[in-house]
Amino acid sequence: MTRLSQTLLPTERQPPADAEAISHQLMVRAGLVRQMGAGLWSWLPAGWRAHQRVVGIIREEMERIGSQEVLMPVLQPAELWKRTGRYDAIGGELFRLKDRRDADMVLAMTHEEAMTNHVAQIVRSYRDLPFSLFHFQIKERDEPRPRAGVLRTREFIMKDAYTFDRDEAGLQAQYERFREAYARVYDRSGLRWYEVESDTGMMGGKRAHEYMAPCAAGEDDVVLADGGAVYAANVEVASADPQPVTLPDAPDAPVRVETPGTRTIAKLAAHLDRPAGALLKAFPVVVSGSEAYADGVVLLLLRGDHEVVDVKLAKALGGTVRQANEDEIRDRIGPPGFLGPIGADVPVVVDAAVEATGTGAWVVGANETDVHLDGVVLGRDFAYDVVDVRAVVAGDTVDGTPVTIEPAIEVGNIFQLMTRYSEPLDATFLDEDGKTHAIVMGSYGIGPARIVAAAVEQFHDERGIAWPKAIAPYEIEVVGLGKPGGDEAAAAERVYDELREAGFDVLLDDRAGGAGSKLADAELLGAPLRITVGKRSLADGRVEAQIRRGQETIEGGLPLDGLSDAVRELWERVP
Ligand code: ATP
Ligand code: MG
């Protein structure tokens, strides 16, 4: 039973002063959430209803694929995290504390350690496998930049699931089932979304996908060909064919050109009257932990119109990467601003887009102040390895289809962990021959709060939120105009009862107050369907109806006689 007169729904005309993201503004204004501190948010009744509807969808889809619900503590012994190495590897994001006995504890930011530890104690034989477990539990993360309302908070609920298999084929099969379940979750939630290949990051492991909801507040950039139908990937891993650049024919040997003061690509392009894409920029970097580039300093060459993606570079070079400083390069390569591959006493790597551009003459630094070399030919004039490390840009192509780049927020992700956690935590099983193997694992996360906020980002207008009907706090808002106790109010009560009996989730605005402010609140809160009971239509035995998305008023309203049937029919086409 939900009457606005008895509901805590503190709507506001103005958004909080610091709110930039539209979901932050609207969720506070609509009375869904309130902030307690940096990255700490409380959910008020209407907001929590939306959150729990998302939770309900996720739970159904997890159970549909046979995953079993459990609950594990947030407060955990640090010991487990020490065994997997994450206690030391993770920086300030992990909350570390001591209990009264001075034991190291952590507040879990995810539950691989906890889950794997239990499974290690329970599973003995291949007969105990495969299975899958999930829970909805709070995660604590001391995010460096909590932002955008509930999109990035320091405490949030996650649905995290884990799969346990005897081999990679088993993992692949469960992974595919989760992909299908995730697709159903986002479809049912009413989001615009796509699945992209992603980096495995701190989770470790093999393959990973992210689920992205395009929206202005998104922190990731996603590359899409044909809106995602042909190709979709996070910029951090995306590859595409570069836009063409015509290179001049190459002379027999490189030619020295005086280029005084041209330390930037823009200046060099203007000076030589060449497009930036026909010039090569040089990035000296220092790699550590790499087998292939054990020596440290590496010179990266990139087309002048391209930028490097740090994540791709680290992966390509097989270690952690930082910019080289002047002392590290002056003797072995040359002076900054005029660096080039010829004569450099370090390994040279060339971005794949440079090769893909075709044959012809490139311009590179001459490793001498105020001098460049023109007419340089890859391979002929210097040796190199090819790496794919540049950021794809809009207009590049995948299989001939041009790509666009959109901001998006990650609403979920799935990882093939393999044995990243089962090995250090001794989660093993015995096979038919009595041989011991590490359990092969996957992990699968979704942030319900992000689904809620992403829906607000995607579906709103100048008047407020226009919820997808599957996750709206209320499906229908009935607004009774006129005075409390009057004819309209009485009719609104009857409508409210009838629609509830018909199975709808209904909010009744039974407050005293003007029509203007009631309707404004209804538009702000954004129930997918609004029924307004006012004097004029009531006289004709009808009520007004509006589909919130697109503010579509139903011509002539709906008849009071047989109202629930009319509403049911209309509901079919509510998005
Ligand atoms: P991000 O790259 O956005 O920080 P993540 O890779 O850290 O996300 P996971 O650790 O894999 O995310 O968590 C799984 C899901 O939990 C994410 O897809 C997202 O929906 C949600 N999530 C992660 N961090 C937050 C946060 N700080 N606030 C709210 N939801 C979050
Ligand atoms: Mg994160």
Side-chain angles (χ1 to χ4, degrees):
M1 196 187 74
T2 327
R3 294 165 180 279
L4 253 181
S5 62
Q6 294 160 31
T7 300
L8 181 71
L9 188 78
T11 54
E12 304 279 349
R13 292 289 156 246
Q14 293 301 323
D18 62 340
E20 279 168 25
I22 193 75
S23 56
H24 183 178
Q25 297 179 8
L26 286 175
M27 289 180 74
V28 172
R29 284 193 49 213
L32 307 182
V33 292
R34 280 284 163 110
Q35 185 164 15
M36 177 177 285
L40 297 173
W41 288 81
S42 300
W43 293 80
L44 300 187
W48 189 240
R49 289 173 71 96
H51 186 281
Q52 292 307 80
R53 292 195 73 187
V54 173
V55 164
I57 291 172
I58 298 170
R59 179 176 282 124
E60 279 179 25
E61 295 302 338
M62 289 297 99
E63 288 176 348
R64 191 201 295 273
I65 58 168
S67 198
Q68 305 161 73
E69 187 163 357
V70 296
L71 185 66
M72 292 174 290
V74 178
L75 180 63
Q76 301 182 355
E79 172 59 22
L80 285 177
W81 292 70
K82 290 179 179 167
R83 283 171 67 191
T84 62
R86 289 211 286 189
Y87 190 77
D88 295 319
I90 295 173
E93 219 176 321
L94 181 63
F95 281 103
R96 298 165 168 87
L97 68 162
K98 285 193 187 287
D99 69 10
R100 65 170 73 208
R101 293 187 179 78
D102 210 33
D104 288 331
M105 307 294 287
V106 305
L107 297 178
M109 52 187 291
T110 170
H111 281 76
E112 278 79 13
E113 277 79 358
M115 187 65 98
T116 312
N117 182 55
H118 285 308
V119 168
Q121 291 160 2
I122 296 166
V123 167
R124 290 281 159 261
S125 124
Y126 69 95
R127 286 188 211 88
D128 302 328
L129 299 170
F131 61 92
S132 149
L133 301 170
F134 75 98
H135 70 166
F136 287 94
Q137 180 57 296
I138 288 170
K139 309 294 175 214
E140 302 284 351
R141 296 184 180 185
D142 204 354
E143 295 274 359
R145 280 174 299 280
R147 60 175 285 279
V150 299
L151 277 176
R152 183 171 297 283
T153 53
R154 297 199 295 168
E155 176 175 291
F156 60 96
I157 289 175
M158 192 199 289
K159 185 288 298 174
D160 39 328
Y162 305 85
T163 57
F164 301 89
D165 282 275
R166 61 178 299 172
D167 54 24
E168 205 180 327
L171 168 62
Q172 295 297 353
Q174 297 224 58
Y175 193 81
E176 289 308 316
R177 276 201 289 285
F178 271 87
R179 285 178 70 186
E180 285 161 23
Y182 272 44
R184 278 194 296 271
V185 165
Y186 303 118
D187 278 345
R188 286 182 59 188
S189 300
L191 283 190
R192 272 205 306 128
W193 64 277
Y194 32 82
E195 178 192 64
V196 302
E197 298 258 355
S198 65
D199 183 50
T200 48
M202 72 134 187
M203 306 293 290
K206 213 175 177 191
R207 249 185 117 196
H209 287 92
E210 283 170 348
Y211 293 84
M212 310 296 289
C215 65
E219 296 171 43
D220 286 286
D221 283 320
V222 177
V223 178
L224 301 172
D226 198 9
V230 171
Y231 182 73
N234 197 317
V235 166
E236 290 189 345
V237 297
S239 302
D241 298 320
Q243 286 156 71
V245 171
T246 309
L247 300 174
D249 289 337
D252 291 339
V255 180
R256 275 171 64 93
V257 284
E258 302 285 327
T259 52
T262 60
R263 278 188 167 75
T264 64
I265 285 290
K267 280 190 184 153
L268 185 62
H271 181 80
L272 298 176
D273 195 21
R274 279 288 161 90
L279 315 173
L280 292 183
K281 53 184 174 192
F283 282 111
V285 297
V286 177
V287 199
S288 37
S290 165
E291 276 173 35
Y293 301 98
D295 179 47
V297 183
V298 172
L299 186 66
L300 164 67
L301 298 181
L302 207 64
R303 238 168 71 164
D305 58 342
H306 288 159
E307 301 297 332
V308 66
V309 177
D310 294 340
V311 174
K312 287 175 77 174
L313 183 62
K315 215 192 252 171
L317 299 185
T320 50
V321 178
R322 65 168 171 83
Q323 237 180 318
N325 60 45
E326 260 192 74
D327 293 341
E328 288 166 315
I329 58 169
R330 192 168 282 282
D331 295 340
R332 298 182 63 190
I333 310 176
F338 301 92
L339 299 178
I342 299 177
D345 179 26
V346 300
V348 175
V349 296
V350 171
D351 178 62
V354 176
E355 262 200 342
T357 301
T359 52
W362 292 97
V363 177
V364 301
N367 294 325
E368 194 181 321
T369 302
D370 294 343
V371 184
H372 279 79
L373 296 175
D374 193 359
V376 172
V377 175
L378 302 182
R380 181 193 73 181
D381 298 326
F382 65 94
Y384 61 94
D385 297 334
V386 181
V387 291
D388 174 11
V389 298
R390 66 144 188 145
V392 170
V393 290
D396 293 346
T397 54
V398 173
D399 293 338
T401 307
V403 301
T404 54
I405 297 183
E406 257 193 282
I409 188 80
E410 180 195 309
V411 287
N413 57 27
I414 59 180
F415 294 91
Q416 297 187 356
L417 298 175
M418 305 300 290
T419 56
R420 163 70 182 86
Y421 297 91
S422 49
E423 269 171 29
L425 294 170
D426 286 326
T428 60
F429 66 96
L430 295 175
D431 69 12
E432 292 87 335
D433 305 322
K435 271 175 63 186
T436 301
H437 304 273
I439 297 173
V440 179
M441 291 176 53
S443 92
Y444 313 81
I446 298 185
R450 283 212 184 152
I451 292 184
V452 172
V456 174
E457 290 277 333
Q458 291 183 352
F459 305 110
H460 67 270
D461 57 24
E462 68 291 346
R463 298 195 198 165
I465 303 169
W467 291 103
K469 66 180 172 186
I471 66 170
Y474 307 98
E475 293 176 323
I476 300 175
E477 177 163 343
V478 175
V479 182
L481 302 180
K483 281 193 280 296
D487 289 349
E488 294 132 291
E493 292 278 350
R494 290 195 297 275
V495 167
Y496 172 60
D497 287 339
E498 179 176 342
L499 294 180
R500 275 169 52 218
E501 256 154 53
F504 289 102
D505 206 344
V506 192
L507 175 68
L508 174 67
D509 191 348
D510 59 344
R511 299 174 299 182
S517 74
K518 285 183 167 186
L519 294 178
D521 270 1
E523 307 261 62
L524 180 57
L525 183 58
L529 187 62
R530 189 184 78 211
I531 305 288
T532 310
V533 184
K535 198 183 282 163
R536 216 170 332 126
S537 52
L538 202 56
D540 296 336
R542 302 180 79 82
V543 292
E544 292 161 31
Q546 187 223 46
I547 296 177
R548 178 63 185 86
R549 184 94 48 92
Q551 298 177 25
E552 182 194 342
T553 303
I554 305 305
E555 195 56 42
L558 300 174
L560 272 172
D561 192 13
L563 181 65
S564 47
D565 288 338
V567 168
R568 254 193 226 107
E569 198 183 313
L570 185 57
W571 189 248
E572 288 299 309
R573 66 180 187 84
V574 171

